[in-house]
Amino acid sequence: SGSGPGRFYSPHGGSLHYDGKSIAGRFFFTLERVMDRLTDHIFFVSDYERRTFLREIGEPRAASSLVYNGLRPNEFEPTPPENDAADFLFIGMMRDLKGPDIFIAALAPAEPRLGRRLTAIMVGAGHDREKYIRQTERLCLSDRVRFLEPMPARQAFPLARNVVVPSRAEAMPYIVLEALAAGMPMIATAVGGIPEIFGPGSCALVRPEAEELAERMDSAVRDPARFRAVMPSGADLRARFGGDVMARDIERAYFAVLDARA
């Protein structure tokens, strides 16, 4: 058409977590409005993100569509646990938004429920890492909670039998998709776009509270087969979160922009 390439944009999930009345919130929301005016099409990675954008920023000027994050075919290959795998794995940024403190706090009450010790691996880096190490020491958990440096997710999955995502806020976290695609049983908080992955009412979802998480961790260890059975199926994950599905939807929007310009 001679009018240049199409311009596409996806709101940054982190900016949508701010309170719109705060100085930081007003700043980031202003940036989102500027980006809206500069783009031809907005991709939302979750319906939660779309609803938050409409509520905090307003109806976008540009056309928009929902396009879920997609995974490569090799990411759907299972990662069975090692023989000495820990009970639970946390992998992510070591900051309160991601809930490492909730995860650690849940381990203590979960142990008496089961009548045995629980082991955990925590993979990640961040400026709050030392705070969480001290938390395990205060709760007398340091002998069974290992902190490891960041590593690829699929390298970390075999280190445990279950994944826990205890975030206080999310948009559409890749780690949830990666873990489920790899066949990992998971407990996750019902925040952001995470319920869109599991479906409403899934027993894998909890509030970001230590006591509720502890109860669900107990269920996952006590009856692993039953808990695994409530995870989304591989076929369902591929149909909604496959990389080919994401590419198809992005391509469709791209050509729609070019057609409109022509």
Side-chain angles (χ1 to χ4, degrees):
S1 65
S3 57
R7 297 168 299 183
F8 297 84
Y9 165 68
S10 183
H12 190 275
S15 67
L16 299 180
H17 295 153
Y18 284 96
D19 180 350
K21 297 178 181 178
S22 67
I23 294 175
R26 291 197 299 270
F27 172 75
F28 284 110
F29 290 170
T30 297
L31 291 181
E32 297 291 348
R33 293 186 184 97
V34 170
M35 294 301 295
D36 175 29
R37 289 195 293 269
L38 295 176
T39 194
D40 297 307
H41 192 101
I42 295 177
F43 291 121
F44 293 110
V45 300
S46 67
D47 188 58
Y48 161 80
E49 188 176 74
R50 182 190 65 82
R51 288 184 281 107
T52 303
F53 190 98
L54 292 175
R55 183 180 69 248
E56 300 289 354
I57 297 167
E59 187 72 35
R61 179 202 62 80
S64 65
S65 58
L66 170 62
V67 178
Y68 284 128
N69 293 331
L71 299 173
R72 298 184 299 274
N74 68 307
E75 293 181 280
F76 287 93
E77 296 174 3
T79 56
E82 297 175 350
N83 290 335
D84 60 347
D87 295 302
F88 296 102
L89 168 69
F90 168 91
I91 178 169
M93 285 292 295
M94 294 291 180
R95 53 189 296 226
D96 284 354
L97 185 73
K98 298 296 184 179
D101 57 317
I102 299 174
F103 175 60
I104 295 168
L107 286 169
E111 288 188 336
R113 292 172 182 268
L114 286 165
R116 73 166 178 85
R117 291 186 168 192
L118 292 173
T119 54
I121 303 289
M122 300 190 70
V123 176
H127 63 272
D128 286 332
R129 190 172 188 264
E130 290 301 317
K131 179 176 74 172
Y132 305 132
I133 292 175
R134 292 194 298 271
Q135 183 183 6
T136 63
E137 292 170 350
R138 287 197 309 273
L139 295 174
C140 300
L141 297 170
S142 55
D143 62 332
R144 46 202 184 275
V145 178
R146 292 173 58 203
F147 287 82
L148 302 179
E149 294 300 317
M151 67 180 74
R154 289 183 61 83
Q155 183 179 330
F157 292 155
L159 301 178
R161 301 185 184 280
N162 302 275
V163 173
V164 176
V165 177
S167 303
R168 290 179 168 88
E170 290 286 358
M172 177 55 74
Y174 256 107
I175 189 61
V176 174
L177 299 176
E178 291 174 301
L180 291 173
M184 295 291 295
M186 172 181 288
I187 305 169
T189 48
V191 298
I194 294 177
E196 296 171 49
I197 303 172
F198 288 89
S202 171
C203 67
L205 299 176
V206 298
R207 290 175 294 179
E209 299 175 358
E211 282 295 331
E212 189 167 331
L213 177 56
E215 184 276 327
R216 212 56 48 88
M217 291 164 77
D218 169 69
S219 299
V221 173
R222 194 178 297 276
D223 194 346
R226 183 167 177 263
F227 195 77
R228 181 182 287 274
V230 305
M231 297 297 113
S233 70
D236 177 63
L237 290 170
R238 286 175 184 269
R240 294 193 295 146
F241 304 105
D244 56 334
V245 177
M246 179 179 69
R248 179 201 66 201
D249 292 344
I250 292 174
E251 184 181 69
R252 182 181 297 155
Y254 188 81
F255 282 111
V257 166
L258 296 185
D259 290 345
R261 288 185 171 191

